[in-house]
Amino acid sequence: MAIKLYSPSFTGVPDRMVLFPGGLMFFAELKRPGAKPRPRQKYVHKTLRDLGFKVYVIDGKAAAEEAIKIEIHGA
């Protein structure tokens, strides 16, 4: 499942919360190819990572496949 996140009172949250069987989960920031997160997004990503969550910036199919591969296979 890739749940769309929307938080008007807390800006910079990643676009999706991605859930897999067995309790695997990560956040995904979706960008156009080559685009980078804005400063507020970088701040929120760091905050989430500091809390122990994984956050991936995904700018295309290859990046999405790599994030899934890392999460499922630990590679």
Side-chain angles (χ1 to χ4, degrees), residues 14-73:
D15 297 305
R16 303 281 173 166
M17 179 173 55
V18 183
L19 308 172
F20 291 94
L24 296 175
M25 176 266 193
F26 67 86
F27 290 99
E29 182 68 50
L30 306 177
K31 294 291 184 188
R32 290 185 311 269
K36 303 293 182 200
R38 295 184 310 270
R40 173 64 181 178
Q41 291 172 320
K42 288 180 182 181
Y43 171 79
V44 173
H45 296 177
K46 181 184 180 322
T47 301
L48 291 169
R49 288 180 179 124
D50 288 348
L51 289 170
F53 295 101
K54 293 183 182 176
V55 181
Y56 295 94
V57 177
I58 297 174
D59 68 351
K61 184 178 177 181
E65 289 172 346
E66 183 66 18
I68 292 168
K69 179 181 170 186
I70 291 168
E71 289 305 307
I72 292 178
H73 303 292

